[in-house]
Amino acid sequence: MKSTFGTNFKLTLFGESHGPAVGFVLDGLPAGIRLDLDRIRRELTKRRPAGRISTQRQEADEFTFLSGFYDGHTTGTPLTLVIENKAQHSQDYEAMKYLPRPSHADFTAFAKYGGYQDARGGGHFSGRVTAGLVAAGAVFEQILSEHGIAVGTHVLQCMDARDRGFDCARLKEDIAALDSPDFPVLDEGAGRAMRALIEQAQAEGDSLGAILETAIDGLPAGIGEPFFHSVESELSALLFSIPALKGVQFGLGFGFASLPGSQANDAPVGLADGRLRTRTNHNGGLGGGITNGMPVVFSTVIKPTPSIYKEQDTLDLRTGAPQKLRIHGRHDPAIFHRARSVVDAVTAIGLCDLMMGRYGYLWARKEEPCATD
Amino acid sequence: MKSTFGTNFKLTLFGESHGPAVGFVLDGLPAGIRLDLDRIRRELTKRRPAGRISTQRQEADEFTFLSGFYDGHTTGTPLTLVIENKAQHSQDYEAMKYLPRPSHADFTAFAKYGGYQDARGGGHFSGRVTAGLVAAGAVFEQILSEHGIAVGTHVLQCMDARDRGFDCARLKEDIAALDSPDFPVLDEGAGRAMRALIEQAQAEGDSLGAILETAIDGLPAGIGEPFFHSVESELSALLFSIPALKGVQFGLGFGFASLPGSQANDAPVGLADGRLRTRTNHNGGLGGGITNGMPVVFSTVIKPTPSIYKEQDTLDLRTGAPQKLRIHGRHDPAIFHRARSVVDAVTAIGLCDLMMGRYGYLWARKEEPCATD
Amino acid sequence: MKSTFGTNFKLTLFGESHGPAVGFVLDGLPAGIRLDLDRIRRELTKRRPAGRISTQRQEADEFTFLSGFYDGHTTGTPLTLVIENKAQHSQDYEAMKYLPRPSHADFTAFAKYGGYQDARGGGHFSGRVTAGLVAAGAVFEQILSEHGIAVGTHVLQCMDARDRGFDCARLKEDIAALDSPDFPVLDEGAGRAMRALIEQAQAEGDSLGAILETAIDGLPAGIGEPFFHSVESELSALLFSIPALKGVQFGLGFGFASLPGSQANDAPVGLADGRLRTRTNHNGGLGGGITNGMPVVFSTVIKPTPSIYKEQDTLDLRTGAPQKLRIHGRHDPAIFHRARSVVDAVTAIGLCDLMMGRYGYLWARKEEPCATD
Amino acid sequence: MKSTFGTNFKLTLFGESHGPAVGFVLDGLPAGIRLDLDRIRRELTKRRPAGRISTQRQEADEFTFLSGFYDGHTTGTPLTLVIENKAQHSQDYEAMKYLPRPSHADFTAFAKYGGYQDARGGGHFSGRVTAGLVAAGAVFEQILSEHGIAVGTHVLQCMDARDRGFDCARLKEDIAALDSPDFPVLDEGAGRAMRALIEQAQAEGDSLGAILETAIDGLPAGIGEPFFHSVESELSALLFSIPALKGVQFGLGFGFASLPGSQANDAPVGLADGRLRTRTNHNGGLGGGITNGMPVVFSTVIKPTPSIYKEQDTLDLRTGAPQKLRIHGRHDPAIFHRARSVVDAVTAIGLCDLMMGRYGYLWARKEEPCATD
């Protein structure tokens, strides 16, 4: 279905930017998973706009469970989480209903829903809806961390500013360093350069995009399925559901077009705990769509925020006549540093789907104490 | 499920490289679609190894329908297509069961299936299985072409050889030119350069990868769903199911990290037949995951064939001891020029799923004459 | 998934009896369906306990849409409806956590969730959760009625009291007569007799079950799928999701074991609007799992409410020791007259899934005016 | 999808009565399940027409695996089983294309597929297709029997002849006695009476139906899901996919309308191995849709074969004019004694889906030895 994901669970994301709430319903988790609500809050904080380089729409993102959560743990029945919308300024958008913002979903939503969409603030296409995605991801990240699996994402490149890549020799530390609401880079200097670029773009009424790099530590070998549910298939379907994300590559990715097989192949050099160790990791921990035990590494690209303050050309959908457009309202000059929390979230969602497909859904509850024991 | 795809139909791909057959079962097509068997044969020919730059395993790829096809058209019940395997040389592989080829699925299949997989010739992970995918794609390409939608893929870049990109002003012609079993490039000179590179790699016992570019002509606006079933999500999940494919980007893709929003945004300049025309097409015809009516353009990367003749390092899975590996058998020095038929096939599969999600499954039968009319 | 239904949409039912709310999320409806909120309220009223023969737990069942509904119509994105729980008396149940009520879900929920379930008031197994199901059904009943399709259910038999069956010659009137919150019978005298039986059972601290009969008017021929998604399969899966429902039969049902084929077969005697008219309707409007155009008729049985006030035998789950059990709290001596609203609801849900499978999801929006027209 | 079933696996049934083959594709089984081909043959034999009281179409039902089976066990990839059709007499049917047999799927298939169906011999609606279902069921019955779970079905009632019910005190023996191709009754005398009735119906060119009773031994408590995937929902959806099956009831079923709660409730009297023991088993081993550990017992009804030799009324679909119809070809005077093998098969399919939903798909492989151990 449209906004529903999952083979081994069903996750439905709901909500509109200016409706009463955003959130999710998640059907398929086992009973008895203890949920750390602070962990969910922390992930939501990473996503939330903050400081000078973000939109001024500030929401506390307080959430409540409507169902499936009792006495600190999941009950085994559908888990419903709701985040109320509080800071809507709908009047900002109403005037532009027939003036689509360039490269935004305004026109395509119009074409798809024939004018019946809730267009206020981008409706279901708003980045606001990703708050539900991040909250869902935080549930799955807890499950993964019980099994020693961690996910981290940093900004690898923005314009000519470039962070260092993950250091596989100390991957755990690199990932841990990214678990903060700070600007997500591994090298502070690169972060300062990127923030300066964003501030400059903001001053010019412009916006910027970036390449993000993600690493997953701790996956066993043998996860993923051939063909349609390969690790790459599962993760990319989720990653491309992030608004503004336009590319996904695993390991060397597009670099594979410039390297002969003899250099591109990763030679096996060790085997421990069922995991292969390879001399290089050009394949990003994957063979035939299945994990080999090396870290899974991929990168993605987030395009520049389409909502910019500079005057732009558009047309009036009623008449087809050209129009000049100046966007008001509250907009980020860059969202990629916030988007990394969504990348982490969907990665966790996809990995748990694959792990539950491999080991059964009961895997999601690390400990299985039973009241009758 | 593992090897099953589709929201509006269920397509299951089956078969092993050295088993009795490969093929597919497709549940969900309406009755009354006339199928042109020559079209299926033509697509299979594009995928088939041919000439000096391919493996010597040559199969006629004759297919039969076991069900769902009667009197020249679909019957509305599951459509089963079978391609017999005839040219297996299983003895080539048996010796290497515990010596995984670097960057191949040998180890990961072993890790996943615990030794129970049919490892002969790569089993279910063999490129051979994509013959079933191409045959399925050929069914869907017929459906699309009844609605004026066409898909074409060429090799954009291999090492330093580069084809010209699609010319959107004459996209129909560019796509039509690629509908032949020849080496798929738009510029003959680029093709000659690439073939020379492949022959050189072959001579050295090495292999090459490449970037492919795909264009889709004729899609209406409003196709695709928000979030998990965006056009990008649906296509990327399918594309990453192609063995050796390691990256997918839409429009500018990773180039979006180097362009400010004011230059990256595609300004609307016209509206016709419900389709938006934009000055540029940096977003590859998509906004919010939904088509806007411009051509959908994406590129993918196929890594160098991992099976090379050069001696490589590996280890023995039973002992963990290092081993030198020399691969015999029949292998391609490059598969990207054949892989383009698989890219076209999965693109057609994904587009039909989305179109049927938008217009209903009856859309798949253009004409709906009824015997009782 | 567990509490998720649908091929052509995904409906997830959520909530626990004593949690914050019950409701549903529905992904897959087209944009632009006008929803009559009074119709939803009316269906909820049919389900709500009322009068002397029902539990004293009285809830107003006020609902709100959290998403997917804007300006009086659906938006095409997930539709979330929430009904707050207000009248919980949790203390009634806490004492009985380890004393399972006979024939209730107490033990099986315990066995399944290992003590992690929200056991208060039956949790997710409470009849309370069917309020969400009835609200979802009311949405689908509106869609059906736009296409001239109507569903009605009455109590056919309770102990020795028996209502008359549907009169196919005036089916529309029969169904219309049942669209009220009154005790659902076609013959008033039968209703009085049944109510007297229920009051007597109530006086004795006992409970009663009944057979319900349902008719569907207005379905075209050709709806349903062979095998796993036959009309019978789809409806029975939904019907058996109603707590306390223990049998489903179509047409003559179990009576087919006592009639030879020559008498059981329904002879075709006419054809109009693509619908077959048959002399008898022993098959309940179905052949090969697909509608033939005659009214679809089926019956179901609702077992006596397991929660009775009479003392019963049970055992303590901690020790296995026998215990006497007296249930307090608020319980119905019969729920079958309320259950008919749930039967109507799930029937509407199933029929819309099948109709959307036949005609595409856009069928669900009768009129398709577009803002750009 | 239409002919595809399963939450934890995907089973697609394919084939037409007079096409090249019938069979199934099954995606989702783990690798390493040893399959006993004789067991599959034995189940197919139970389904096969035999002796005087069956059709003269006799097929050896030899099957082959096209994929997913290697060296005696499953490989973890899609399992494809094919049974060739050999004994088609298509000319028997061609004349009747526009003369629908009363109560058969002829008309409804026509209405649904608009004349494009393969109508020969009933096409996809033929009982022949259930050979694939029985073969699939035999795979799942093996999995169940590795876990000590057994399914058996007998003819409970045909006209006034009635077999004794299952004896829960010796259920294993009763079920074991039914594992033979003989006429499936627990009491030989009842079987003789039923066979005499069938022979008499045959002599008169007529046909008979019957009630079947099924018992499942060995299920743990806690299997099944609330609402849409209750044991009743899952099994009934499968059972109603059997051609000619018109009713399903669990435990007392329709008898619940005539018994007060105080007599209908099953009092818990013991607890062992996590299974509840109840004084009676009126609920057929289920509470809230979930197993309690008592045997699951249900009954179904198979209507009389609609194809009878007596002259019947029908009409010509082209003109609507009344016609007399005499059916030639090969037809059973009763199919219920053969249908029991299909009931067993779909029960096994549904139970495994639920067990895999409870314990994970790896449950399906009892032993999990690994080549690397």
Side-chain angles (χ1 to χ4, degrees), chain C residues 143-303:
Chain C
I143 294 170
L144 289 173
S145 82
E146 287 290 313
H147 292 274
I149 300 166
V151 180
T153 297
H154 69 113
V155 186
L156 183 65
Q157 184 212 323
C158 169
M159 304 298 282
D160 56 356
R162 194 176 171 91
D163 195 19
R164 73 166 171 84
F166 281 107
D167 180 351
C168 282
R170 23 167 292 164
L171 189 55
K172 271 185 214 317
E173 291 85 343
D174 274 3
I175 289 175
L178 294 166
D179 187 13
S180 103
D182 295 343
F183 194 87
V185 282
L186 296 169
D187 175 73
E188 276 304 305
R192 278 191 299 274
M194 290 176 189
R195 296 169 67 101
L197 286 165
I198 297 173
E199 287 175 19
Q200 182 189 336
Q202 188 174 31
E204 295 169 359
D206 213 331
S207 66
L208 294 179
I211 296 174
L212 306 180
E213 186 189 36
T214 302
I216 308 165
D217 181 64
L219 281 178
I223 305 306
E225 305 292 341
F227 291 100
F228 311 122
H229 294 273
S230 71
V231 173
E232 289 106 327
S233 290
E234 188 99 346
L235 291 187
S236 69
L238 283 159
L239 290 163
F240 276 117
S241 73
I242 300 176
L245 193 149
K246 297 294 284 186
V248 175
Q249 57 186 351
F250 289 83
L252 277 187
F254 284 89
F256 274 117
S258 307
L259 215 61
S262 56
Q263 294 173 45
N265 281 354
D266 298 311
V269 293
L271 189 62
D273 292 333
R275 293 179 173 94
L276 199 66
R277 194 156 48 80
T278 55
R279 189 173 295 136
T280 49
N281 190 19
H282 294 150
N283 281 276
L286 298 165
I290 295 174
T291 57
N292 62 18
M294 291 290 286
V296 169
V297 183
F298 60 85
S299 51
T300 53
V301 62
I302 306 290
K303 72 175 182 178

Side-chain angles (χ1 to χ4, degrees), chain D residues 171-339:
Chain D
L171 189 55
K172 272 185 212 316
E173 293 83 343
D174 274 3
I175 289 175
L178 294 167
D179 187 13
S180 104
D182 295 343
F183 194 89
V185 282
L186 296 169
D187 175 72
E188 276 304 305
R192 278 191 299 273
M194 290 176 189
R195 296 170 67 100
L197 285 166
I198 298 173
E199 287 174 20
Q200 181 188 337
Q202 187 174 33
E204 295 168 0
D206 212 330
S207 66
L208 294 177
I211 295 173
L212 307 180
E213 187 189 36
T214 301
I216 309 165
D217 181 63
L219 281 178
I223 306 305
E225 305 293 341
F227 290 100
F228 310 120
H229 294 273
S230 72
V231 173
E232 289 106 326
S233 289
E234 187 98 346
L235 292 186
S236 69
L238 283 158
L239 290 163
F240 277 117
S241 73
I242 301 175
L245 193 147
K246 298 294 282 185
V248 175
Q249 57 185 352
F250 289 83
L252 278 188
F254 284 90
F256 274 118
S258 308
L259 216 59
S262 56
Q263 294 173 46
N265 282 353
D266 298 311
V269 294
L271 188 62
D273 291 334
R275 292 179 174 94
L276 198 67
R277 193 157 49 80
T278 55
R279 191 173 293 136
T280 48
N281 189 19
H282 294 150
N283 281 276
L286 297 166
I290 295 174
T291 57
N292 61 18
M294 291 289 287
V296 169
V297 183
F298 60 86
S299 52
T300 52
V301 62
I302 306 290
K303 72 175 182 177
T305 333
S307 295
I308 59 174
Y309 292 102
K310 281 189 174 171
E311 187 179 81
Q312 297 183 89
D313 291 331
T314 188
L315 46 73
D316 188 310
L317 289 179
R318 292 160 297 190
T319 63
Q323 293 282 343
K324 293 295 179 185
L325 178 74
R326 290 198 81 93
I327 298 174
H328 302 285
R330 303 157 300 180
H331 301 288
D332 295 90
I335 52 164
F336 53 78
H337 56 296
R338 298 171 55 199

Side-chain angles (χ1 to χ4, degrees), chain B residues 11 43 130-141 144 151 153 235 238-239 242 339-351:
Chain B
L11 172 68
E43 295 302 322
T130 62
L133 206 44
V134 166
V139 168
F140 287 107
E141 287 170 64
L144 289 173
V151 180
T153 298
L235 292 186
L238 284 158
L239 290 163
I242 301 175
R340 62 95 180 215
S341 67
V342 197
V343 169
D344 285 348
V346 300
T347 301
I349 292 167
L351 290 176

